[in-house]
Amino acid sequence: MSDKAILTIDGKQYEFPVIVGTEGEYGIDISKLRALTGHITLDPGYVNTGSCKSDITFIDGEKGILRYRGIPLEQFANGPNFIEVSWLLIFGRPPTTEEYREFAEELTHEANIDEGMKHHFNSFPRKAPPMAILGSMVNALSCFHPEFLDLDDEEKFYAAAARLISKIRTLAAFAYRHANGLPYLYPNPSLKYVPNFLHMMFSMPYHHYECDDLTRDALNMIFILHADHEQNCSTSTVRMVGSSQANLFASCSAGINALWGPLHGGANVAVMEMLDRIHKGNVSAEEYVKLAKKKDSGVKLMGFGHRVYKNFDPRAKLLGEIAEKLLPKMGRKDPLLDIARRLEELCLKDDYFVERKLYPNVDFYSGILLRAIGIPTNMFTVIFAIGRMPGWIAHWWEQKHMEGAQINRPRQIYTGNGLTDYVPMPGRKYPKRG
Ligand code: CMC
């Protein structure tokens, strides 16, 4: 393969270097394109645009491969926990026993939030969406931890990363308690990451929630499967905001807001609404698939399709298998799992989905598992955010130390008015709107 790409404009040839990734991915480095030719590239939705080089996560969407720091996702299925995977993503390799112990202790130590932050929860309306609360409160960490606004050295970054991973779980649980009019419960330092989160969600002052091993392992795996996914919408947002040298809390808060949308992290909620509609008999699985194929119906098969995967999303595969194994063991039969399997079966043999390479994505099965754990639907995207936090942190740090790091500032092709004179208000005459 040539190490140069040649572009011809108006008969003049320009050469651009071809960059090759570790796994043989090719990219044309067009960073000098405008300076040399006066042209820019137009790529709405960034379908073909590599915004950076990254060492963190590798995806081969054609083959359904996902690796964190080179390690295939499938190898996390029976081994490490979320804290170990968080360390791996942020610091580039798995931790030693000592490093793991120290990091886990730091998380336990930092789980509580400033008492002043608790009062903020009371001023949110009861019906406030938990994602709105989470985004606001992660941003508010900037007010309570001014010592981490400038993360100049690795020690400080380590401390800030530990705080974010630990505190987001407390903030998430408090958002839930507030919405349900329940007392806030302090983190319990004798509990590990996942049981401590579920304790803050579900214990009562008069009753301790006991987290069984199956529930712990299932939620642990859900966090791991969501931990990073290279340059997705929220991670690109974190990198974009971070590129202006905004602090880590502000950048991750922006990531939470990007994740909220139904085409990104919010899809797991939309999947459950879709399955529920089918379950209630409002529409059959077959009718739903028909609707999803009709362009003017405005309906999509939620939890299906992916910008990068043109094959099975490996996360969906693992989650489907976990749901299949765990639900019976947990003594929970969920009719929505049968509906999901039926939809999957219908789509995998339907030309529309086959031709467009639309397969189940991570959101297709995650909701069913979360429901089995007892997590309410409006907290699903919040769980996604807790899981994605180490990925956001790793990317924020990576972009900060990128060779030639600069503010991210895309260009545009302007298609508005040509030069137009300002007309004072009394002289304006336009056709009536609408
Ligand atoms: N149901 C029906 N048709 C679909 C769907 C779907 N879920 N997804 C894509 N298509 C069609 C789309 O209409 C288009 O058809 P045509 O070529 O005839 O115009 C074709 O497939 C290509 O789709 P696209 O919109 O160009 O694909 P994209 O890469 O821009 O969008 C997506 C990817 C995930 C936004 C889209 O597949 C979608 O909206 N899926 C449903 C929402 C969803 O599950 N989102 C979660 C994504 S995974 C979690 C995450 O990483 O955030």
Side-chain angles (χ1 to χ4, degrees):
M1 188 71 68
S2 167
D3 59 354
K4 285 186 194 78
I6 296 173
L7 177 68
T8 307
I9 303 176
D10 288 338
K12 195 165 170 209
Q13 287 200 333
Y14 301 91
E15 276 187 6
F16 297 96
V18 170
I19 309 293
V20 190
T22 324
E23 296 294 328
E25 290 175 302
Y26 292 92
I28 303 168
D29 178 353
I30 52 137
S31 48
K32 302 231 160 30
L33 178 70
R34 187 166 180 276
L36 291 174
T37 70
H39 291 58
I40 61 164
T41 54
L42 180 64
D43 185 19
Y46 309 133
V47 183
N48 305 287
T49 297
S51 57
C52 59
K53 292 187 203 162
S54 179
D55 295 348
I56 302 169
T57 288
F58 172 69
I59 300 178
D60 183 330
E62 308 300 325
K63 297 193 185 130
I65 292 175
L66 171 58
R67 298 181 196 146
Y68 295 160
R69 299 286 187 181
I71 304 175
L73 194 68
E74 293 71 18
Q75 293 189 16
F76 299 117
N78 301 310
N81 66 28
F82 177 58
I83 303 314
E84 205 182 330
V85 173
S86 300
W87 170 286
L88 166 76
L89 284 167
I90 298 172
F91 302 110
R93 57 161 175 80
T96 62
T97 313
E98 189 54 22
E99 286 167 340
Y100 172 78
R101 194 186 52 73
E102 270 177 21
F103 194 56
E105 271 172 16
E106 183 94 358
L107 294 187
T108 304
H109 191 249
E110 294 303 335
N112 211 355
I113 53 172
D114 188 292
E115 201 63 11
M117 284 190 93
K118 246 169 65 176
H119 303 302
H120 286 254
F121 283 92
N122 295 335
S123 49
F124 287 113
R126 274 279 170 84
K127 288 198 168 146
M131 280 298 275
I133 300 184
L134 193 69
S136 312
M137 295 308 281
V138 166
N139 203 20
L141 287 172
S142 316
C143 313
F144 290 90
H145 295 284
E147 71 279 22
F148 294 121
L149 297 191
D150 252 343
L151 294 182
D152 30 31
D153 61 63
E154 207 159 318
E155 277 308 302
K156 256 177 139 184
F157 170 64
Y158 175 95
R163 273 163 184 74
L164 252 180
I165 293 173
S166 190
K167 290 186 197 304
I168 188 176
R169 158 191 64 157
T170 311
L171 297 172
F174 278 28
Y176 169 76
R177 306 290 291 201
H178 174 67
N180 290 283
L182 298 169
Y184 307 120
L185 285 183
Y186 289 109
N188 178 344
S190 71
L191 296 175
K192 296 211 153 137
Y193 192 88
V194 167
N196 207 353
F197 169 60
L198 292 174
H199 153 69
M200 286 188 275
M201 286 279 290
F202 299 131
S203 285
M204 289 293 167
Y206 45 84
H207 171 74
H208 178 70
Y209 170 90
E210 280 297 332
C211 174
D212 59 71
D213 292 356
L214 282 173
T215 306
R216 181 200 58 204
D217 293 348
L219 191 51
N220 209 42
M221 202 55 210
I222 289 173
F223 285 151
I224 291 174
L225 294 180
H226 287 87
D228 192 41
H229 212 232
E230 49 119 303
Q231 309 308 320
N232 58 87
C233 177
S234 56
T235 303
S236 299
T237 302
V238 170
R239 290 186 80 121
M240 169 73 97
V241 174
S243 79
S244 75
Q245 296 181 0
N247 72 69
L248 180 64
F249 303 125
S251 305
C252 290
S253 163
I256 290 171
N257 291 320
L259 186 73
W260 191 2
L263 295 188
H264 191 12
N268 52 18
V269 175
V271 169
M272 294 312 277
E273 285 164 0
M274 172 183 80
L275 297 178
D276 210 40
R277 268 186 71 196
I278 299 173
H279 178 54
K280 285 189 176 134
N282 297 340
V283 56
S284 71
E286 288 74 7
E287 282 163 351
Y288 203 96
V289 170
K290 250 192 207 159
L291 271 177
K293 294 192 290 182
K294 254 176 91 185
K295 292 286 167 207
D296 56 0
S297 68
V299 170
K300 273 188 170 179
L301 196 76
M302 298 314 283
F304 255 72
H306 200 274
R307 171 61 58 81
V308 179
Y309 294 116
K310 301 301 167 197
N311 199 321
F312 255 93
D313 177 339
R315 303 168 299 173
K317 221 176 191 173
L318 278 172
L319 282 172
E321 286 165 15
I322 296 171
E324 220 51 270
K325 268 198 266 167
L326 274 183
L327 261 56
K329 277 201 203 159
M330 287 168 139
R332 293 172 192 139
K333 170 138 184 56
D334 192 338
L336 299 198
L337 179 60
D338 298 333
I339 296 173
R341 285 290 185 216
R342 175 85 190 121
L343 282 173
E344 181 181 338
E345 192 189 330
L346 286 171
C347 294
L348 292 184
K349 58 182 190 215
D350 187 304
D351 285 349
Y352 174 96
F353 292 88
V354 174
E355 278 162 17
R356 289 168 179 76
K357 300 188 176 157
L358 302 171
Y359 292 89
N361 61 46
V362 67
D363 293 313
F364 197 61
Y365 287 110
S366 62
I368 292 170
L369 264 173
L370 289 173
R371 217 161 90 118
I373 293 170
I375 306 284
T377 310
N378 69 348
M379 287 291 288
F380 286 3
T381 317
V382 169
I383 299 288
F384 193 152
I386 299 175
R388 186 53 56 90
M389 186 52 85
W392 289 333
I393 294 171
H395 281 273
W396 183 87
W397 184 249
E398 187 181 68
Q399 75 77 31
K400 190 174 164 66
H401 294 91
M402 222 165 68
E403 197 189 319
Q406 54 187 322
I407 188 164
N408 290 1
R409 204 305 188 179
R411 293 211 171 235
Q412 63 166 15
I413 300 289
Y414 174 71
T415 55
N417 291 341
L419 184 63
T420 305
D421 283 328
Y422 173 81
V423 179
M425 214 177 275
R428 293 177 202 162
K429 287 198 176 52
Y430 308 113
K432 244 195 148 96
R433 272 157 53 109

